[in-house]
Amino acid sequence: DAGITQSPRHKVTETGTPVTLRCHQTENHRYMYWYRQDPGHGLRLIHYSYGVKDTDKGEVSDGYSVSRSKTEDFLLTLESATSSQTSVYFCAISARFGNTGELFFGEGSRLTVL
Amino acid sequence: TQLLEQSPQFLSIQEGENLTVYCNSSSVFSSLQWYRQEPGEGPVLLVTVVTGGEVKKLKRLTFQFGDARKDSSLHITAAQPGDTGLYLCAGEVTSGSARQLTFGSGTQLTVLP
């Protein structure tokens, strides 16, 4: 199994509170991604990183920010959580970008915003 | 608007039956991947198809990429309960210098013993 650890795995929080999800990899892969998964929508890309301090927006980036200060860590922050951000969040890594590289996924972080 | 449409959304069949799930789009993809996801876990890559008309086989699973690279299908022969899971297709779209991988909404397959 690819060495990807997401934390926390489960979190319940209240509307308006900040939340940070962490993704840690031991594979030294260049690319890291944050996706959210909701019923009927599949996986939607929030943000991705192509190197330390190099990040870019995905299709559903509003309300989210990311940071990558080290190769192995990619943080996803919800500055002020809303109920619409209740979802399962997956971190993924790849050695190459897009379909040319295999995405390895973490086990997911289930976030509930009340 | 979903760039990749998967059908059916849900499929429940008996062990031993054959099935096909589809992944369709109006966009042309440079390549397409199929993933399988089990409950409580992240998706796992099954196959990548790159060439229009390409057919790949993985034991009882047959994957086909359409000639125009706009669609793909996954056929499972003699399904087994272990095939149960969410099947996701993912296509790479290139727009200028930007490349993005987009996922379909998935087909939830249940194989009953």
Side-chain angles (χ1 to χ4, degrees), chain B residues 18-75:
Chain B
N18 302 330
L19 67 111
T20 302
V21 298
Y22 300 92
C23 176
N24 295 295
S25 176
S26 57
S27 300
V28 175
F29 293 102
S30 55
S31 56
L32 194 137
Q33 294 177 325
W34 284 91
Y35 288 80
R36 192 180 107 191
Q37 184 179 19
E38 298 190 15
E41 299 181 7
V44 176
L45 180 68
L46 295 173
V47 76
T48 300
V49 286
V50 179
T51 306
E54 183 177 1
V55 177
K56 281 192 173 179
K57 293 191 175 184
L58 184 66
K59 297 183 180 178
R60 294 177 293 101
L61 278 61
T62 302
F63 304 85
Q64 185 163 6
F65 200 15
D67 291 340
R69 306 206 312 277
K70 293 183 177 182
D71 56 88
S72 181
S73 63
L74 159 59
H75 182 80

Side-chain angles (χ1 to χ4, degrees), chain A:
Chain A
D1 290 343
I4 307 169
T5 304
Q6 291 186 228
S7 60
R9 293 290 313 282
H10 301 272
K11 185 172 183 65
V12 179
T13 191
E14 294 187 348
T15 298
T17 60
V19 175
T20 296
L21 305 180
R22 179 177 183 247
C23 178
H24 179 79
Q25 62 147 328
T26 57
E27 304 298 319
N28 201 36
H29 280 354
R30 177 181 178 185
Y31 299 95
M32 298 186 76
Y33 313 78
W34 276 108
Y35 286 88
R36 61 177 289 173
Q37 187 173 35
D38 305 288
H41 289 279
L43 286 159
R44 291 182 292 176
L45 182 65
I46 304 171
H47 283 279
Y48 66 97
S49 169
Y50 46 97
V52 173
K53 297 186 180 179
D54 290 325
T55 65
D56 207 348
K57 296 179 180 180
E59 64 178 298
V60 290
S61 60
D62 288 348
Y64 302 94
S65 62
V66 291
S67 65
R68 192 172 179 195
S69 58
K70 298 185 291 185
T71 300
E72 57 266 35
D73 291 325
F74 193 33
L75 304 181
L76 176 70
T77 298
L78 291 66
E79 299 290 348
S80 178
T82 67
S83 58
S84 65
Q85 294 175 311
T86 292
S87 186
V88 181
Y89 291 86
F90 285 95
C91 173
I93 64 173
S94 68
R96 297 184 298 278
F97 187 77
N99 275 120
T100 55
E102 177 179 356
L103 286 175
F104 296 93
F105 286 86
E107 294 185 317
S109 295
R110 182 176 293 276
L111 175 67
T112 301
V113 183
L114 302 175

